[in-house]
Amino acid sequence: MYIAMNRFRVVPGYEEAFEAMWRGREGRLAEMPGYLEFHMLKGPKSEDHTLYASHTVWESFEHFQAWTKSEQFRAAHAKAGENRGKIEYLSGPHFEGFEVIIREDRKGVRNADAA
């Protein structure tokens, strides 16, 4: 498995607009082979930002790579510039990618070679 994550540091006062943008966004992930799930996470607030992280879970790194080169990816990100000025960030999204090496399910069953 592979987890692709983007962190966003949203300036205070813009959280509602940021969340509304994501709620209204057309999802295209489910069209992709190897896609498992998506989460948008709201983290702690600090004086200068609220932390958010989006992450997708894929069957493999290769499936994630195929997403980044797909028409679905281009379509999902086509309107990204429309929110310029409506939302303020301390910095642009910060990407982090992770290969899953250990996975434990809700029954406590562990797969030490999850990749």
Side-chain angles (χ1 to χ4, degrees), residues 41-52:
L41 309 172
K42 184 175 184 177
K45 291 183 179 192
S46 65
E47 198 171 296
D48 63 350
H49 73 278
T50 299
L51 180 64
Y52 289 87

Side-chain angles (χ1 to χ4, degrees), residues 2 17 35 42 54 59 67 69 76 78 80 91:
Y2 185 79
Y35 164 73
K42 184 175 184 177
S54 67
E59 288 180 17
W67 155 249
K69 297 173 183 175
S91 60

Side-chain angles (χ1 to χ4, degrees), residues 98-110:
F98 300 90
E99 179 182 341
V100 177
I101 59 168
I102 299 170
R103 179 179 181 271
E104 184 174 305
D105 68 18
R106 63 189 302 176
K107 295 178 183 177
V109 176
R110 207 175 237 219

Side-chain angles (χ1 to χ4, degrees), residues 66-82:
W67 155 249
T68 65
K69 297 173 183 175
S70 71
E71 176 57 38
Q72 289 88 341
F73 179 88
R74 286 187 290 283
H77 294 86
K79 298 180 181 180
E82 289 180 5

Side-chain angles (χ1 to χ4, degrees):
M1 289 174 45
Y2 185 79
I3 297 175
M5 181 182 301
N6 278 299
R7 293 176 182 246
F8 304 88
R9 297 186 315 158
V10 177
V11 171
Y14 291 90
E15 296 93 345
E16 192 174 308
F18 178 80
E19 292 176 26
M21 172 191 68
W22 279 92
R23 284 190 182 97
R25 204 169 164 177
E26 181 184 352
R28 303 290 302 268
L29 292 163
E31 299 171 21
M32 298 301 300
Y35 164 73
L36 298 175
E37 58 190 6
F38 168 84
H39 300 266
M40 174 55 76
L41 309 172
K42 184 175 184 177
K45 291 183 179 192
S46 65
E47 198 171 296
D48 63 350
H49 73 278
T50 299
L51 180 64
Y52 289 87
S54 67
H55 77 264
T56 51
V57 182
W58 299 88
E59 288 180 17
S60 69
F61 175 70
E62 291 74 22
H63 285 107
F64 167 71
Q65 274 189 314
W67 155 249
T68 65
K69 297 173 183 175
S70 71
E71 176 57 38
Q72 289 88 341
F73 179 88
R74 286 187 290 283
H77 294 86
K79 298 180 181 180
E82 289 180 5
N83 292 298
R84 221 171 247 123
K86 297 177 187 174
I87 302 169
E88 286 192 33
Y89 303 92
L90 285 186
S91 60
H94 176 76
F95 176 79
E96 298 171 310
F98 300 90
E99 179 182 341
V100 177
I101 59 168
I102 299 170
R103 179 179 181 271
E104 184 174 305
D105 68 18
R106 63 189 302 176
K107 295 178 183 177
V109 176
R110 207 175 237 219
N111 178 347
D113 188 19

